[in-house]
Amino acid sequence: MKILHIDASASNAETSHTRRLSNELVERLKADHADATLVYRDLVADQLPHVDMTIRHAWLPENADDPALVETRGRSKTLVEELKAADVVVIGAPMYNFTVPSTLKAWIDHVSIAGQTFSYTAEGPRGLLTGKAYLVISSGGIYSQGPFAANDHLATYLEAILRFLGISDIDTIRAEGIAYGPEQDQAAMARASGQIGALSAAA
Ligand SMILES: Cc1cc2nc3c(=O)[nH]c(=O)nc-3n(C[C@H](O)[C@H](O)[C@H](O)COP(=O)(O)O)c2cc1C
């Protein structure tokens, strides 16, 4: 089993909820699958540039020998190959301003490449990826239900883009409402850990 583990929290390993939980999940997967191999991407420590048209140009066959596009093509290809090779993708994603951190959005822009991870057909777009994704998300407020549910552009967006790319088997683990106080923070983390344990046991 090939695991691609991605973290996008600007907080460090000690303070970040998503880093702690995504790590816990990956450790459980490794414990459950003796053959597991891991590729790890910290999108904050190693930030990707914002998308520009060189990424599109770099993938065009007629530009294959363009020396100006070597670096962009190499980076984008590495990211796409990592994702294509993964059986399981684990994404740790805090909510920033109702959606994904821009570091994670940059990764999505680098890997969502027509002809590589999705294609357009006469019937519409078709995802070219397979496999499973675990989303480990955290937010100060509560968005899974209640009055702010309509503001969730994090889980809904990540699930939508992964499905668009062909990954439809998605489990989403939430630690939410962590800004409501230390007790709510602890309870949310315990619930999320419990969810990870249950997922792992069922895998
Ligand atoms: C830049 C920034 C923007 C944030 N925006 C939101 C938000 O829109 N809604 C929310 O509920 N929490 C928001 N938060 C709180 C985080 O989602 C919350 O602290 C979460 O636990 C962060 O995950 P982490 O601990 O893995 O870094 C924001 C935090 C930061 C740093």
Side-chain angles (χ1 to χ4, degrees):
M1 175 201 265
K2 291 183 179 149
I3 305 169
L4 173 60
H5 177 191
I6 293 167
D7 270 325
S9 170
S11 296
N12 62 34
E14 283 73 48
T15 55
S16 162
H17 298 70
T18 53
R19 284 179 186 273
R20 268 168 55 198
L21 292 169
S22 70
N23 188 54
E24 192 177 314
L25 176 47
V26 167
E27 288 306 313
R28 290 297 295 261
L29 289 173
K30 280 164 57 186
D32 289 347
H33 300 273
D35 64 334
T37 60
L38 179 66
V39 173
Y40 180 59
R41 279 220 165 251
D42 185 332
L43 297 177
V44 176
D46 289 310
Q47 299 201 4
L48 299 167
H50 282 174
V51 73
D52 62 22
M53 287 317 285
T54 60
I55 294 180
R56 295 285 165 90
H57 294 156
W59 283 96
L60 297 175
E62 62 266 33
N63 295 330
D65 298 324
D66 186 339
L69 297 172
V70 167
E71 189 185 341
T72 306
R73 184 168 39 245
R75 184 193 305 114
S76 194
K77 274 195 168 172
T78 301
L79 296 167
V80 165
E81 292 308 326
E82 275 174 9
L83 181 57
K84 278 182 171 174
D87 301 302
V88 177
V89 185
V90 177
I91 302 178
M95 177 182 279
Y96 287 172
N97 301 310
F98 301 134
T99 188
V100 291
S102 57
T103 50
L104 179 53
K105 181 60 167 57
W107 177 81
I108 290 167
D109 290 339
H110 278 80
V111 298
S112 302
I113 304 288
Q116 295 296 321
T117 49
F118 73 94
S119 64
Y120 287 112
T121 70
E123 289 78 43
R126 189 168 63 90
L128 300 178
L129 299 178
T130 55
K132 180 171 182 66
Y134 293 98
L135 305 179
V136 181
I137 64 179
S138 181
S139 53
I142 293 176
Y143 301 89
S144 61
Q145 56 180 339
F148 302 109
N151 289 346
D152 173 20
H153 306 290
L154 174 64
T156 52
Y157 170 67
L158 281 173
E159 288 168 8
I161 189 75
L162 288 170
R163 285 205 183 93
F164 177 79
L165 298 178
I167 301 179
S168 52
D169 184 358
I170 304 169
D171 282 315
T172 302
I173 295 120
R174 292 174 188 256
E176 59 179 354
I178 62 104
Y180 288 12
E183 278 175 23
Q184 287 90 333
D185 184 339
Q186 266 184 11
M189 287 299 278
R191 260 196 312 275
S193 272
Q195 249 186 298
I196 289 171
L199 286 171
S200 166

